[in-house]
Amino acid sequence: MEKVIYDLHTHSALSPCGDNDMTVNNMLNMAVLNGIQVMAITDHNSCKNCPAAMEVAKELPIDLIPGMELCTSEEVHVVCLFPELERAMAFDAYVHDHLPAVENRPEIFGEQRILNASDEIIGYEPYLLINATTISIEETVPLVRRFGGICYPAHIDKSSTSVFSNLGYFSADWGFSAVEIVSRDNIPQLAAQIPGFEDLLVLHSSDAHYLWDISQGENFLFCNNFRHTLGLY
Amino acid sequence: MKKVTVREIAQTCGFSVLAGADALDRQADRVFCCDLLSFVMGRAPADSAWITVMGNVNAVAVAVLADTACIILAENAVLDGEARSRAEGQGVPVLGSPHPIFDTGLLIQRMLED
């Protein structure tokens, strides 16, 4: 068993709410400086900065997992992680087809920058990424599995866009094997509300939208193989 | 249709002003109720008094996009800090109502029909 320091929930400049300084190089280098060994970039409803990030990560002592923070039709956020870029991008295309055709208004929501490995802007995502997709929470686990990935509900103890804020309950039927929590202080209460809580992998990540929000080594797991522990093969 | 200012709504219905105190002269001419932001975005009429329980920053952005007259948080729903500063910055009045969504809307509807 080894201690693996991770941060599996971060937003790049592609997310409208992500700071424009959240370029792939800035994020990954900051993560390395912070001692993070495994990181995921999880923009809202898009993986389009993962290709650049994967390229940058090749040169750095960090394992980058391509990911996405999916917004379900119930406006519940779900972290989706993939074993490789190709699968993530296939999922990205699927999700894009399930986004409402509402154009982003950068002056209201923020820019949605698509970057290359040199942090140059190579495009802008036209559709507003913070919108709800037409994918319901019941569909997420089998859907993401079909693309070879794993998923779990994000910040379940948050007062918005979480299973508890928007649905009010947690169903074992959804099939999640992990959850992301904001504060460990909420564990006793969550354990009482979630059937089979003791069998769930409890993760804690930064949900960083700014460089200074990226985890500083406080989140870790003791395991033999981090990816396998998550269910990524 | 009759119009009422957000200030009149706050005073007549007894709602608290949670943000955007400088923008209370904005007029509303109808009530709109919905919580799912992606629905509100495409459906809320401009100049409506939008009633919801969603007090996060995205709700404020949606109010700006849809150009609603104000946001009214029913059921004493909380306006979080980030949303409050965004509402102040964008000049979006946000009121707080202790009543459920329907009752909150009914109070405003009665003002519009008076």
Side-chain angles (χ1 to χ4, degrees):
Chain A
M1 300 268 269
E2 56 167 337
K3 178 181 172 182
V4 180
I5 300 171
Y6 69 88
D7 190 348
L8 298 176
H9 186 164
T10 64
H11 293 270
S12 78
L14 173 57
S15 294
C17 40
D19 190 36
N20 284 341
D21 283 340
M22 291 291 262
T23 63
V24 288
N25 282 280
N26 285 351
M27 292 175 77
L28 283 157
N29 282 295
M30 179 63 90
V32 170
L33 283 175
N34 288 358
I36 292 167
Q37 294 158 286
V38 185
M39 182 181 191
I41 292 186
T42 53
D43 285 304
H44 293 294
N45 292 330
S46 181
C47 301
K48 289 193 176 64
N49 272 346
C50 290
M54 295 296 281
E55 205 179 319
V56 173
K58 270 187 216 157
E59 309 299 324
L60 292 169
I62 193 165
D63 178 17
L64 183 75
I65 297 177
M68 176 194 291
E69 185 176 25
L70 176 72
C71 184
T72 71
S73 58
E74 303 88 357
E75 291 185 355
V76 170
H77 289 181
V78 176
V79 174
C80 305
L81 304 175
F82 297 88
E84 59 198 18
L85 182 62
E86 201 175 51
R87 290 166 187 256
M89 297 317 290
F91 185 68
D92 171 89
Y94 180 91
V95 170
H96 201 265
D97 286 344
H98 291 76
L99 255 181
V102 173
E103 302 254 325
N104 182 30
R105 296 263 301 272
E107 72 281 12
I108 296 174
F109 295 100
E111 289 179 48
Q112 300 182 153
R113 296 181 170 186
I114 302 172
L115 307 169
N116 66 14
S118 305
D119 287 351
E120 291 157 345
I121 301 172
I122 54 169
Y124 292 91
E125 167 56 46
Y127 285 176
L128 177 60
L129 291 172
I130 57 158
N131 251 327
T133 62
T134 53
I135 301 161
S136 80
I137 194 157
E138 291 88 356
E139 291 174 69
T140 55
V141 169
L143 176 70
V144 174
R145 191 175 289 149
R146 217 173 80 209
F147 285 88
I150 61 113
C151 66
Y152 52 88
H155 40 62
I156 60 170
D157 45 343
K158 194 178 152 181
S159 61
S160 62
T161 59
S162 73
V163 281
F164 283 110
S165 72
N166 286 25
L167 296 169
Y169 67 105
F170 189 103
S171 170
D173 295 341
W174 296 333
F176 293 115
S177 53
V179 290
E180 180 193 273
I181 61 164
V182 178
S183 169
R184 296 188 194 286
D185 296 343
N186 294 326
I187 287 180
Q189 195 195 342
L190 292 167
Q193 287 174 287
I194 298 178
F197 183 80
E198 60 283 0
D199 297 327
L200 295 173
L201 177 66
V202 177
L203 298 164
H204 181 274
S205 290
S206 70
D207 195 3
H209 287 71
Y210 295 86
L211 279 172
W212 52 83
D213 294 334
I214 292 173
S215 295
Q216 301 190 8
E218 64 273 34
N219 306 315
F220 50 83
L221 281 181
F222 285 95
C223 55
N224 290 319
N225 183 313
F226 187 82
R227 283 180 172 239
H228 292 178
T229 301
L230 290 177
L232 288 173
Y233 293 92
Chain B
M1 190 185 286
K2 186 177 171 184
K3 293 182 178 182
V4 293
T5 65
V6 177
R7 186 189 312 281
E8 288 166 337
I9 293 173
Q11 286 169 352
T12 307
C13 302
F15 300 158
S16 54
V17 178
L18 303 176
D22 295 339
L24 297 178
D25 291 324
R26 176 82 192 258
Q27 291 186 314
D29 61 10
R30 68 177 80 185
V31 179
F32 180 79
C33 304
C34 185
D35 292 317
L36 208 57
L37 298 183
S38 47
F39 269 62
V40 177
M41 200 177 291
R43 291 170 176 80
D47 300 321
S48 59
W50 169 33
I51 306 170
T52 179
V53 293
M54 302 295 256
N56 60 50
V57 68
N58 288 334
V60 178
V62 167
V64 173
L65 181 77
D67 199 26
T68 64
C70 60
I71 299 173
I72 300 172
L73 293 178
E75 307 260 17
N76 285 325
V78 175
L79 180 70
D80 69 38
E82 198 186 348
R84 176 176 285 111
S85 46
R86 176 72 82 98
E88 296 291 358
Q90 302 267 5
V92 176
V94 184
L95 305 181
S97 161
H99 309 295
I101 288 180
F102 178 80
D103 303 67
T104 300
L106 195 57
L107 287 170
I108 303 168
Q109 187 64 27
R110 283 181 179 144
M111 288 179 69
L112 291 168
E113 288 174 357
D114 257 352

